[in-house]
Amino acid sequence: MNLEPGAALPPVAKQLSLEMFRQGGARTIHNDYEAARQEGLPAPVAVGPQVAALLFKMMRQCFGAGWVVGGRIALTFRRPVYVTERVAAEGRVTRVEPEGGKRRVHCEVWVANAQGERAIVGEASGLVD
Amino acid sequence: MSDQETRRVARDEHGPRATFEEIEIGKDLGALEWTVQLDEIATQIALDDDPHPWFTGDSPFGGTIAPPQLAYRPPRWLLSRNYNVRGLLYKWEFENLLPLRPGMRLTVKGRITDKWIKAEREFVAYEAWGENEAGERVFHTRRVQILDVIKRTVPREGAGVDSGVKKERIA
């Protein structure tokens, strides 16, 4: 895998559905329209960490053990992701630095919807030999 | 103002929602003991649709490991033990320092680091970390929670349907 500056990370996409956010019988902003409306949301929103998990999967696929130990990420959730959206995690390498006998590969990462709107943005890094 | 923005939820089945004023910068959120369970790992794999063989069999670390993001919920439980808040996650940082393994017993600690108001919304920052039985740090996280999507100028009133999922079990 090319992990030099400018290289694109292989994207990870997923079609969300309300069923993915059922939690027993609990009615939450993630699975119930009335609960969402009461909290100022027009529709149920996906659980943020479950959407961000697409980024974690992408990083693990790219860095393997260097993500599990040594992985770092800093994310901003810019807008809600609704439970019927299709989303994709993407990223690109921004720089590479030596670190403790390995190389730390820094990446710009984001999760975008089908319209290309970036709902989650941030930076992530992993270690490679 | 739309119908959905005429009030902010004041309480739910766990009692009154914590207010911005009640949240204390520097507050120690206490500690909780968390043992990583195989069924929690299975649940995380299903939630994330990521059945990597390291999460069910052997790995380069010797034995099964958990997806690192399994450590998301214990710090949130710590926050919920102290403050009945809902809202949305706004910022999330973490660092994976050691692999999470089934059967690993961790002590998770945290504290409130900041709070602020921006665009009439209330934000609370906290950090948490997990240590194994040897006292080694396994993960460290910093987060910002927005307490309400609705502006703080809208009064709190009435009960909300969403009481959160407070059960301290990844299920």
Side-chain angles (χ1 to χ4, degrees):
Chain A
M1 183 176 296
N2 178 7
L3 292 174
E4 296 306 314
L9 307 182
V12 177
K14 190 174 191 176
Q15 173 63 54
L16 304 178
S17 73
L18 189 135
E19 292 303 314
M20 292 175 182
F21 303 100
R22 297 228 185 266
Q23 296 167 311
R27 296 172 64 193
T28 74
I29 59 172
H30 306 300
N31 58 35
D32 186 276
Y33 278 82
E34 174 61 13
R37 190 194 62 78
Q38 286 184 345
E39 307 284 349
L41 298 159
V45 295
V47 177
Q50 272 179 256
V51 180
L54 298 175
L55 291 169
F56 311 148
K57 185 175 183 177
M58 179 178 74
M59 293 299 289
R60 199 253 309 136
Q61 288 175 343
C62 293
F63 297 98
W67 169 250
V68 174
V69 171
R72 296 175 187 160
I73 197 160
L75 301 174
T76 299
F77 296 74
R78 298 172 63 191
R79 61 175 285 277
V81 172
Y82 296 100
V83 295
T84 54
E85 291 193 270
R86 180 177 176 77
V87 286
E90 300 179 58
R92 68 178 182 87
V93 177
T94 54
R95 68 184 197 278
V96 181
E97 297 175 334
E99 181 175 311
K102 297 189 176 187
R103 292 183 301 150
R104 179 168 293 279
V105 180
H106 296 264
C107 307
E108 173 191 19
V109 297
W110 63 91
V111 175
N113 63 13
Q115 290 72 45
E117 297 166 328
R118 294 185 181 187
I120 306 174
V121 299
E123 297 180 352
S125 66
L127 297 171
V128 295
D129 291 328
Chain B
M1 185 180 291
S2 69
D3 289 348
Q4 70 196 32
E5 292 174 338
T6 56
R7 68 174 185 125
R8 287 189 296 161
V9 170
R11 62 184 183 279
D12 56 41
E13 69 180 54
H14 297 287
R17 294 275 176 90
T19 66
F20 181 75
E21 290 72 23
E22 290 169 338
I23 293 171
E24 179 189 345
I25 298 171
K27 181 178 172 63
D28 182 347
L29 296 176
L32 65 81
E33 303 300 317
W34 174 46
T35 301
V36 178
Q37 305 285 348
L38 271 173
D39 67 315
E40 292 179 324
I41 296 174
T43 298
Q44 192 70 47
I45 291 169
L47 286 172
D48 298 343
D49 190 23
D50 188 15
H52 191 273
W54 294 355
F55 306 146
T56 52
D58 200 8
S59 74
F61 302 98
T64 301
I65 60 167
Q69 62 269 29
L70 189 69
Y72 167 74
R73 287 201 233 184
R76 185 65 177 83
W77 296 333
L78 267 187
L79 182 64
S80 293
R81 281 184 178 190
N82 288 268
Y83 298 111
N84 184 26
V85 295
R86 292 293 296 144
L88 295 174
L89 184 62
Y90 174 55
K91 287 182 179 286
W92 183 18
E93 293 181 33
F94 66 75
E95 182 171 10
N96 306 323
L97 299 168
L98 290 172
L100 287 168
R101 301 173 185 276
M104 176 183 270
R105 296 175 61 181
L106 293 101
T107 301
V108 182
K109 300 176 182 176
R111 67 185 181 98
I112 301 291
T113 55
D114 202 0
K115 68 175 184 178
W116 63 89
I117 295 165
K118 183 177 179 184
E120 297 296 347
R121 267 81 177 188
E122 299 164 335
F123 297 84
V124 172
Y126 64 107
E127 68 172 340
W129 55 94
E131 295 175 349
N132 63 17
E133 291 180 286
E136 299 167 312
R137 196 164 281 202
V138 177
F139 69 86
H140 185 231
T141 183
R142 294 186 187 87
R143 301 174 189 180
V144 178
Q145 188 84 4
I146 181 170
L147 295 188
D148 292 280
V149 174
I150 300 171
K151 290 182 178 180
R152 71 191 304 266
T153 48
V154 176
R156 287 198 182 276
E157 180 187 328
V161 168
D162 187 347
S163 295
V165 181
K166 300 291 176 61
K167 186 170 65 173
E168 292 187 359
R169 189 87 181 85
I170 297 168

